[in-house]
Structures are given as structure tokens and as C-alpha cells.
Amino acid sequence: MNVVYEAELVVSSREFAADGVLALTLRHPLGGQLPAWEPGAHIDVVLGPELERQYSLCGDPADRGAWRIAVLREPAGRGGSAHVHGQLGHGDKVRVRGPRNHFRLEPAPRYRFIAGGIGITPILPMLAAAEAARAEWTLLYGGRTRRSMAFRGELERYGDRVTVVPQDESGLLDLAPVLDDLPDGTLVYCCGPGPLLDAVEERCPAGILHVERFQPKGRPADQQAEFEVELTQSGRTLTVAPGVSVLDTVRAAGIEVLYSCTEGTCGTCETDVLDGTPDHRDSVLTREEQERGETMMICVSRCRGKRLVLDL
């Protein structure tokens, strides 16, 4: 959960990558290099008081002078995309933190990439990495309309390894040809709307799927059990009351901790678990990572017993 970098960057360019999708290039105002990142990474963008959002880096990891993000305008959203589209212009400064990566591309001889809508953003640099590694790969990319699907021009260089499926022309994505009878050693990477990720999870064998969610998946509603958290760095033991998160309990005690989405999707509040069994309710950790119980997202996850010991 350590922050690698925090600074004010300047918007050096902005252009539409598709209908409703604005691509921004961010640079340091004094020039120089930005921190290195790997495909799948995202940054926190601080747009104002109580207005912070996470966006995937979708440029070239080898370009250490710039970070590129792409933001979908969501009229029914919570204000982040409207701010970026309407108020963040060329030359403006914006505070960022990161990068972080909970969607890292693992080495494999072959990949199946599936993207829905703005979910193409973390996938885009993965394609270049897979290509550089000479892995076998394909991309199935769906969207509402052809004009709404970002970076189609950049994808043309990959030829028939990329299948573009606009819903208004061809309907929903057909997952069977991509996910049935996968060769040994294949990893599947998927990012997009919740229903697409749910469908892929239902069809994909365990252990080979990596997903990134922009919205939290359904979580158990029960938050009535009280439990204690021992904070080893702070030397405090706190009681987490029913209906109150670990994050809110820790902050109410005056202990500073990094957080952002408060929905279990961004990974900012990830905390090491030294003892106890977390009740994982996040949308970040893989099933295997949750089973190991080494970390937890304290904004949503709770305790399966009476006590947790956290590295806070």
C-alpha cells in the first residue's frame, strides 16, 4: 500500500479517443522522468475535495516522460468524468498518486484478452507487452457502437488477432470461441462492465483468469458482527462496531491511512494482515490472494472471527 509517487502533473494534451472517451497525456511541469510502471497499472487522480478517481495507464511504459489515461464520460456517474471532460483542459495541473498495479500481466506462452468498452485501457499496453514477449494472443473487444470504442486505430496494427464487436452491429460478445477448450498455459485477462466480467468468470476455469473491475461486485450485506483490530505500528486496539468499516474506525481514532474509492475496487487502502482471518469483500484481490489472507482492503472487508492484527 506504499505510495510510489505523488505530484502535480500538467495536462500536456487532450484528444478524443472515441465518442465520449477523452484521452489525456500528463507530464511533470518541469519535465523529467515519471516513475516506471507495468501494464495493468492505474493512478489516483485527485480532482477536488472528496473527488478522487482511479484511471488505468494506457500509454507506452517505455515513455518515462508521460502518462496517458482515458476517461469515459458518464452522465449518470458520480462527477469524476464530468469534471475531467468539462473542467480539465490543456495546461491545467492535477494531483496524482501511484502508480499501483493489481492487474499485473503474468508471464505466459499465450493469452486471451477480453475488453468491454473503456475496459480496453488497461488491456492496451498488455497487448504490446505480449507482442514483445512473442506470446500467442488474441483480443475480443466489445462496445456499444463502433464509434464509442476507443483506440481502434491503434489496434489495427495487430490485424486479425483483434476482433472488434460493436453491439449495435453484432450483438453481445460470444465468449465460447475464446474461452472453450483453452490450450494449457493460457491466461485470460478481462476488463469491462460487471455483467461481462461475471459471464467470463462463470465460463473460465479457476486459476487462469485475471479481471479488473471498475465497479464493486455484489458483497454480503451482513455487517453486524463486532470485532477488534490490533494495530501494531500504532500500538492501539480498536473495536469495529456493527455497520462501521475498519477504515472509518481507524480514521476516527486519529490514525492516518491512505484510501480512495471506499468501495473495494481501487486497492489504495490495502493493508497487511499479521494475524486473524479477513472476511474479504473487495473486488481487487484474486480468489487465491483472498484465500491466503495476507492483505485486506479495510474500506469494505471485515473479520471472520473476533480479532484481526493489522500492520497499521
Side-chain angles (χ1 to χ4, degrees):
M1 62 177 289
N2 293 329
V3 173
V4 176
Y5 183 75
E6 181 170 359
E8 272 195 333
L9 302 185
V10 65
V11 179
S12 65
S13 72
R14 50 175 278 156
E15 60 182 359
F16 280 93
D19 285 353
V21 179
L22 182 63
L24 302 179
T25 300
L26 308 176
R27 299 181 184 273
H28 195 281
L30 300 179
Q33 291 190 337
L34 298 175
W37 60 279
E38 297 178 352
H42 71 265
I43 57 173
D44 304 329
V45 180
V46 183
L47 301 169
E50 305 300 322
L51 188 60
E52 184 174 321
R53 298 292 183 266
Q54 291 71 45
Y55 299 111
S56 298
L57 292 170
C58 58
D60 180 2
D63 182 0
R64 295 289 302 278
W67 284 347
R68 183 176 70 168
I69 60 174
V71 181
L72 170 67
R73 178 65 183 265
E74 298 183 90
R78 297 178 297 154
S81 68
H83 182 100
V84 171
H85 279 248
Q87 301 184 45
L88 201 58
H90 181 274
D92 287 344
K93 291 182 179 179
V94 61
R95 180 157 292 277
V96 303
R97 289 198 300 260
R100 297 184 181 85
N101 199 339
H102 289 279
F103 194 43
R104 186 169 281 104
L105 185 67
E106 302 292 341
R110 57 189 60 86
Y111 301 96
R112 298 294 178 263
F113 297 106
I114 303 172
I118 197 63
I120 190 62
T121 51
I123 298 292
L124 197 61
M126 291 185 178
L127 305 182
E131 185 81 349
R134 298 185 177 181
E136 175 203 322
W137 64 268
T138 62
L139 166 66
L140 181 64
Y141 179 21
R144 291 180 292 103
T145 67
R146 193 174 296 272
R147 291 176 58 86
S148 72
M149 299 173 71
F151 304 116
R152 284 188 298 111
E154 294 186 23
L155 294 171
E156 289 178 356
R157 60 177 169 158
Y158 296 122
D160 61 5
R161 281 175 292 177
V162 175
T163 302
V164 173
V165 184
Q167 185 176 344
D168 64 338
E169 299 176 20
S170 306
L172 297 174
L173 294 179
D174 183 4
L175 299 176
V178 178
L179 297 180
D180 290 356
D181 300 320
L182 289 171
D184 290 343
T186 303
L187 294 183
V188 178
Y189 281 78
C190 181
C191 185
L196 171 62
L197 271 62
D198 292 341
V200 172
E201 286 183 334
E202 289 178 6
R203 197 168 199 120
C204 198
I208 69 170
L209 176 62
H210 300 259
V211 301
E212 182 167 71
R213 291 180 179 267
F214 295 138
Q215 300 294 332
K217 59 185 176 182
R219 296 192 297 266
D222 176 33
Q223 297 191 42
Q224 299 309 306
E226 179 180 284
F227 59 95
E228 289 187 341
V229 288
E230 178 184 342
L231 311 178
T232 57
Q233 291 188 35
S234 305
R236 304 276 299 277
T237 297
L238 307 175
T239 298
V240 180
V244 181
S245 70
V246 176
L247 173 64
D248 287 343
T249 302
V250 169
R251 293 184 65 227
I255 298 168
E256 293 188 4
V257 60
L258 290 173
Y259 69 98
S260 180
C261 72
T262 70
E263 294 182 328
T265 60
C266 74
T268 304
C269 69
E270 184 175 11
T271 300
D272 288 340
V273 178
L274 304 181
D275 196 18
T277 304
D279 178 7
H280 293 289
R281 303 182 179 205
D282 66 276
S283 303
V284 178
L285 299 175
T286 65
R287 187 182 310 161
E288 292 78 12
E289 288 170 333
Q290 290 184 346
E291 289 174 354
R292 288 199 296 268
E294 296 171 352
T295 67
M296 65 182 288
M297 307 302 156
I298 61 173
C299 65
V300 292
S301 297
R302 300 181 69 79
C303 179
R304 291 193 178 276
K306 294 294 186 181
R307 187 180 180 89
L308 287 172
V309 181
L310 304 179
D311 188 20
L312 286 175

